[in-house]
Amino acid sequence: MTRHLPGMTLVLLEQISAFENLVRAFAECARGKRASVGYQRAMFAHGERLLTLQNKLRLGTYVWQPYREIIVKDPKKRLVMAAPFMDRVVHTAIHRVIEPIFETHLLPSVYACRRGRGNRLAAQHLLAVLQRIGPKRFVVKLDVRRYFDSIAHKLLLEKVCAILPDRSLDLLFDSLLRSHPLYANRGYGIPIGNLSSQLFANFYLTEADAIATAGLGDDGFYFRYMDDMVLGGPDKQRVLDVADQVVGFVTNQLRLTIPFTKRMPLGNAPVPFLGYLLDHTGYRILARNGRRHSNRINRLKKLGARPSQLALRELSFAAFARLV
């Protein structure tokens, strides 16, 4: 498996474009997609295709293809951009090499898109903290408005280049951020749906994580799942002050927006987080998740879904409802 390790002489672009890395990236993208037209086209003479891809990446001539845009309304209306199969191979090849480097800069309080973490563990750990502290705490919840759609390309590239051991990926990353014409023209926004976008978005807020963690100290707690942030502790004023510092940094330095409607001073009330309502007495799923599940089941029934498909949905929802 191709990974960046201390002391390696290969530059990052060579690691990403290494044939072994491209083969493994191809295999990862093929999982669950073998019936898709994109995979079947790419599979034809795919060894030669990967060699051509390797040469284009190393020469800086790789051209990203147009996205397929999908409107998703669950849990909220979003524009998801599906990249063609071979572009996804490149995204995965990038992720395989760059993710371990990014990982060293992410704090333990960050749970999105990381191995061994995820939304369920984030909710479990927050619940455990709330139960340990009890009702004598003050919590503020922050949420960035249209996060993926607002990330500034220039700032992101500066922050990414600052942690990489060489500059061999400047051209590739610049072209990746400009791979959608809307975002290329305005200079901000990354497509929801790209594996690389998840990596960049998780990393973009690392300085805000450091501000929150240092400001809250050992008595406080901080959790972030992508752009959903929970700050808390026994000292109300301290939590409010740190939340203001985070909002100020995100607004002035990252050019993002956390509007007043997305700043929730919860006090010791239950905390809505990742589909659950959590406090020191326990948890329950948010009512909207129950309604969403019922709507999904009804839609599947209307489409003539098999009983086994419905049963799998029910089992999945039951597992989600059992947080602990």
Side-chain angles (χ1 to χ4, degrees):
M1 183 177 295
T2 304
R3 292 287 191 234
H4 172 77
L5 296 173
M8 291 186 70
T9 57
L10 289 177
V11 296
L12 293 176
L13 181 60
E14 290 175 332
Q15 294 178 50
I16 287 172
S17 60
F19 190 73
E20 177 193 358
N21 190 50
L22 295 177
V23 168
R24 292 181 179 273
F26 189 96
E28 289 180 22
C29 290
R31 292 173 188 162
K33 300 293 183 181
R34 297 185 185 278
S36 71
V37 174
Y39 166 76
Q40 292 174 2
R41 287 175 179 170
M43 189 60 190
F44 179 75
H46 74 285
E48 290 81 356
R49 289 177 184 268
L50 293 180
L51 285 173
T52 300
L53 174 59
Q54 179 185 58
N55 290 332
K56 288 182 177 180
L57 288 172
R58 292 188 173 181
L59 292 172
T61 60
Y62 184 76
V63 178
W64 305 94
Q65 299 303 305
Y67 289 91
R68 180 167 55 92
E69 297 185 346
I70 307 166
I71 300 293
V72 176
K73 297 182 179 180
D74 188 8
K76 60 184 178 181
K77 188 174 181 179
R78 295 179 299 172
L79 178 63
V80 175
M81 300 177 187
F85 184 84
M86 290 306 294
D87 280 5
R88 295 202 302 274
V89 172
V90 180
H91 296 157
T92 305
I94 291 171
H95 186 276
R96 286 171 50 80
V97 173
I98 301 302
E99 184 266 342
I101 301 174
F102 278 33
E103 181 67 23
T104 63
H105 294 268
L106 295 175
L107 296 179
S109 52
V110 179
Y111 284 81
C113 307
R114 300 177 71 183
R115 292 185 180 89
R117 290 182 175 269
N119 57 352
R120 185 176 182 83
L121 194 64
Q124 289 174 334
H125 285 182
L126 177 55
L127 175 63
V129 169
L130 295 175
Q131 290 177 327
R132 174 173 57 80
I133 294 178
K136 294 183 179 180
R137 42 90 177 170
F138 191 89
V139 173
V140 173
K141 190 170 183 291
L142 303 176
D143 186 2
V144 177
R145 178 181 178 272
R146 298 176 65 86
Y147 180 47
F148 278 70
D149 203 42
S150 304
I151 293 176
H153 294 177
K154 183 179 179 181
L155 283 175
L156 174 61
L157 285 174
E158 289 174 355
K159 294 179 184 303
V160 170
C161 290
I163 68 165
L164 297 182
D166 63 63
R167 303 297 297 270
S168 63
L169 299 179
D170 288 14
L171 180 62
L172 180 61
F173 282 175
D174 182 64
S175 68
L176 174 56
L177 294 179
R178 293 187 292 104
S179 60
H180 191 283
L182 172 63
Y183 299 147
N185 290 335
R186 67 189 193 187
Y188 61 89
I190 56 178
I192 297 176
N194 283 0
L195 185 60
S196 54
S197 293
Q198 297 176 11
L199 190 65
F200 289 149
N202 218 22
F203 172 75
Y204 195 63
L205 285 168
T206 50
E207 292 165 292
D209 299 334
I211 291 171
T213 303
L216 292 170
D218 295 337
D219 293 336
F221 58 88
Y222 173 73
F223 287 79
R224 176 167 71 86
Y225 192 90
M226 200 53 75
D227 62 310
D228 286 353
M229 294 169 272
V230 175
L231 303 85
D235 188 332
K236 173 182 177 179
Q237 192 57 53
R238 187 175 191 178
V239 173
L240 289 172
D241 289 344
V242 174
D244 285 343
Q245 292 172 26
V246 171
V247 171
F249 177 83
V250 165
T251 303
N252 299 323
Q253 302 299 320
L254 300 182
R255 302 177 191 172
L256 302 172
T257 303
I258 302 179
F260 285 107
T261 55
K262 299 288 188 177
R263 306 176 198 178
M264 301 172 59
L266 298 169
N268 64 355
V271 181
F273 190 55
L274 303 176
Y276 301 95
L277 203 59
L278 311 166
D279 70 3
H280 60 283
T281 64
Y283 72 96
R284 62 181 174 85
I285 61 171
L286 291 171
R288 65 172 181 250
N289 288 299
R291 292 193 298 268
R292 191 178 302 131
H293 171 67
S294 297
N295 291 337
R296 286 174 180 168
I297 293 296
N298 290 334
R299 283 197 300 268
L300 286 172
K301 287 179 178 178
K302 289 179 181 179
L303 293 171
R306 298 189 301 272
S308 59
Q309 293 175 304
L310 298 176
L312 284 174
R313 284 285 186 178
E314 294 288 2
L315 287 172
S316 177
F317 184 74
F320 170 78
R322 290 194 301 272
L323 182 59
V324 293

